[in-house]
Amino acid sequence: SMVFSQDSDNLQGEGKVRSIFDPCCGTGGMLTIGQEWVHDNINDKVEFRLLGQELNPQTYSICKSDMMITGEDPENIRQGSSLSEDRFQGDKFDYMLTNPPYGVSWSSESNFIIEERGNPDGRFSVGTPRSSDGQLLFLQHMISKMESKGSRIGIVLNGSPMFTGDAGSGESEIRKWIIESDMLDCIVSLPDQLFFNTGISTYLWILTNKKSEERQGKVQLIDGSSFFKQMKKS
C-alpha cells in the first residue's frame, strides 16, 4: 500500500505496463501480492512484469513454478546471490519490494563486494556495512536499479541498519548518502512479534528518487508499533 498508493495517478488508465522486482524473492509472495494490491485498489488493467532473484534452490523452484501456474513469465525468476551474482545487471525497475535476510554475513562474498566498492560507479561505492549484516547492501542494490523517471522501494528491515555504526562508518555513510540524496520518504516502526520465533522489532523503509514537491527535503516517521491485534503466539 505504501509503495503503490503514492503513485496511484501514474497507475491509472489502460495499456500501462510496469515492473515489480524483489532481489530476495523467496517463493514470490511480495511480487504476487504487490500486483494483486494494485489490481484490487487502484487499477485492474495495469499489466505487471514480475521479476525476482533468489539464492535458495528450493524456494527459487517454488517461485518459478508458481509463476508458471499463474501465467507469469518464469524466466523472470533467476537463481543466485543478488550481491555477488546480479542476474539483472543493467536492468531498472518501477517498483521494488523485499524482506532481506537479517543478520546474515556477507563475508563469503566479500572479495566481490569489496572490489565493487572500489568502483566509483559500483553499487557499493558509498560504503559497506559490517560483514555480519548485509541488509544495507541489498538496499544499495535496489537503489542502483531505480529508473531515472522515478521508482519506489519498500523494504522491511530490523533495527540494525538504522542504529548501528558510528559517524564515518560504512552504515553511517550509507544512511547519510540516502538522506542527503533525498531518497528516504518514510520509515514506519512496526509492532514486534511479527516474525516466527522472535520478538524482534522491524521497520518499513519507503524510498523514492522522485518525491512529490510537498514531500521534498522531508522524511516522514510513523510509529505503528501499537497498531496490532494480540496473537496467542508470535
Side-chain angles (χ1 to χ4, degrees), residues 9-20:
D9 289 346
N10 189 38
L11 291 166
Q12 298 295 343
E14 297 190 21
K16 293 285 177 74
V17 180
R18 296 291 184 265
S19 55
I20 308 177

Side-chain angles (χ1 to χ4, degrees), residues 171-225:
E171 291 94 343
S172 177
E173 290 302 302
I174 296 166
R175 289 191 292 265
K176 177 183 175 184
W177 167 65
I178 289 171
I179 292 170
E180 289 185 348
S181 301
D182 204 18
M183 289 186 283
L184 186 57
D185 194 23
C186 182
I187 293 181
V188 185
S189 67
L190 299 172
D192 58 16
Q193 309 295 326
L194 286 180
F195 288 82
F196 289 114
N197 301 321
T198 177
I200 195 171
S201 293
T202 49
Y203 303 83
L204 182 63
W205 291 34
I206 305 294
L207 296 91
T208 179
N209 56 344
K210 280 289 171 74
K211 284 187 181 181
S212 59
E213 190 174 339
E214 66 270 18
R215 297 181 74 84
Q216 289 175 10
K218 300 173 182 175
V219 178
Q220 184 174 10
L221 303 176
I222 299 175
D223 180 7
S225 60

Side-chain angles (χ1 to χ4, degrees), residues 4-51:
F4 296 109
S5 57
Q6 282 283 319
D7 222 20
S8 57
D9 289 346
N10 189 38
L11 291 166
Q12 298 295 343
E14 297 190 21
K16 293 285 177 74
V17 180
R18 296 291 184 265
S19 55
I20 308 177
F21 173 66
D22 184 343
C24 315
C25 68
T27 56
M30 288 273 198
L31 299 172
T32 53
I33 294 296
Q35 174 177 249
E36 192 177 292
W37 192 91
V38 173
H39 286 167
D40 289 346
N41 294 277
I42 297 178
N43 181 7
D44 62 2
K45 295 179 174 61
V46 181
E47 181 181 337
F48 280 108
R49 295 171 58 240
L50 306 182
L51 308 102

Side-chain angles (χ1 to χ4, degrees), residues 119-196:
N119 177 359
D121 298 319
R123 295 171 294 169
F124 314 122
S125 59
V126 174
T128 52
R130 61 197 64 199
S131 61
S132 59
D133 188 2
Q135 290 176 86
L136 283 172
L137 293 177
F138 286 107
L139 181 53
Q140 288 171 282
H141 173 64
M142 295 167 83
I143 290 172
S144 76
K145 296 193 175 297
M146 283 179 147
E147 292 270 15
S148 58
K149 64 184 180 184
S151 297
R152 290 181 65 80
I153 291 173
I155 184 169
V156 188
L157 302 171
N158 66 14
S160 177
M162 192 154 34
F163 303 121
T164 56
D166 297 329
S169 66
E171 291 94 343
S172 177
E173 290 302 302
I174 296 166
R175 289 191 292 265
K176 177 183 175 184
W177 167 65
I178 289 171
I179 292 170
E180 289 185 348
S181 301
D182 204 18
M183 289 186 283
L184 186 57
D185 194 23
C186 182
I187 293 181
V188 185
S189 67
L190 299 172
D192 58 16
Q193 309 295 326
L194 286 180
F195 288 82
F196 289 114

